[in-house]
Amino acid sequence: MTSEPRSIDEDRLRLGVNIDHVATVRNARGTTYPDPVAAALMAAKAGADGITAHLREDRRHITDGDIARLSAELTVPLNLEMAATDEMLAIALRHRPHAACIVPEKREELTTEGGLDVAGRFDLLAPMVAQLVAAGIRVSLFVEPDARQIDAALRLGAPVVELHTGRYAELPADGVADELRRLSDAAALAAKNGIEVHAGHGLTTANVGPVAAIRQIRELNIGHALIADALFVGLGDAVRAMRDAMDAAR
Ligand code: PXP
């Protein structure tokens, strides 16, 4: 998928909806429903600018078949989250999603814990980033808001970094100031060096505002809270409420 984000407003903050946990519910019973591809199409209709899906090595939620169908059926850009492995590289090169976000992955974790150590894994990542970029895939590296990681992403030639907001999301509302400063400093450093900045993990309608207010951030990728809200209000309303919370902060 090579389509550009639909907005022509350079300052508009894009919303990427992560549909992994629709697949989590489906896989809990081994049924064919709820269908993450149907959810993706519904999210796009409700205003998602893109769809994110993480094909984990253990296939605990999204499957290879889901990625094939998303690639064929989506009308908004697909962002494939992937571990830095040869298997995932081959899959990304086969499907050529609009974007590929490289994340650290440990089998036993509940979700992606911590950012990718770009600095420490530079030699492994360099050929992988080069091949994805050469295939026309917009590579993003999921990193902690840390100058050392931004600097390594810059040296790797990654066009995008996604800042990990997990630590921010876990803090009480009155204790986020230092972490917010880390996020905005990292966003400023990346943007100043020509890297597009995204952010995500643990964001909810309640905590998204201060992150959405960081002007250099161009895209947020949000999943768990949206799918949780969808249980109560439906996916369309959940996406619209997140969009409103993001726009209110901008
Ligand atoms: N961005 C990345 C790179 C992620 O790994 C995840 C979780 O899969 C998210 C965003 C979305 O996080 P959450 O599901 O907590 O909104």
Side-chain angles (χ1 to χ4, degrees), residues 16 18 20-21 52-54 56 61 79 81 101-104 111-113 140-143 162-165 199-204 220-226:
N18 179 316
D20 292 351
H21 296 308
T52 294
H54 185 175
R56 295 189 75 103
H61 39 55
N79 174 33
E81 280 183 20
C101 181
I102 304 181
V103 302
T111 181
T112 314
E113 290 167 1
S140 131
L141 302 175
F142 188 47
V143 295
E162 180 165 328
L163 301 179
H164 198 311
T165 52
H201 209 280
L203 297 176
T204 67
L220 298 179
N221 285 301
I222 306 180
H224 184 255
L226 274 175

Side-chain angles (χ1 to χ4, degrees), residues 107-118:
R107 257 170 210 268
E108 65 278 13
E109 69 191 354
L110 283 179
T111 181
T112 314
E113 290 167 1
L116 190 66
D117 182 9
V118 185

Side-chain angles (χ1 to χ4, degrees), residues 46-103:
D49 298 286
I51 296 298
T52 294
H54 185 175
L55 184 66
R56 295 189 75 103
E57 289 180 274
D58 63 9
R59 309 305 198 265
R60 70 175 68 159
H61 39 55
I62 295 294
T63 64
D64 298 68
D66 294 331
I67 295 298
R69 288 181 55 222
L70 287 166
S71 300
E73 295 179 36
L74 278 185
T75 55
V76 294
L78 173 63
N79 174 33
L80 173 67
E81 280 183 20
M82 53 178 268
T85 64
D86 289 342
E87 183 201 15
M88 290 299 152
L89 176 64
I91 290 169
L93 292 175
R94 188 158 69 244
H95 290 293
R96 294 181 183 244
H98 169 79
C101 181
I102 304 181
V103 302

Side-chain angles (χ1 to χ4, degrees), residues 131-145:
Q131 285 184 75
L132 291 166
V133 169
I137 299 168
R138 205 155 163 76
V139 177
S140 131
L141 302 175
F142 188 47
V143 295
E144 292 294 326

Side-chain angles (χ1 to χ4, degrees), residues 110-188:
L110 283 179
T111 181
T112 314
E113 290 167 1
L116 190 66
D117 182 9
V118 185
R121 302 185 71 196
F122 194 90
D123 292 344
L124 174 114
L125 290 168
M128 195 165 280
V129 170
Q131 285 184 75
L132 291 166
V133 169
I137 299 168
R138 205 155 163 76
V139 177
S140 131
L141 302 175
F142 188 47
V143 295
E144 292 294 326
D146 179 299
R148 192 164 151 264
Q149 300 297 344
I150 305 291
D151 177 60
L154 184 64
R155 285 187 286 118
L156 266 186
V160 182
V161 290
E162 180 165 328
L163 301 179
H164 198 311
T165 52
R167 186 188 306 213
Y168 161 82
E170 282 174 11
L171 290 166
D174 60 357
V176 294
D178 286 352
E179 188 60 19
L180 262 182
R181 198 167 310 113
R182 263 177 24 106
L183 286 162
S184 67
D185 287 352

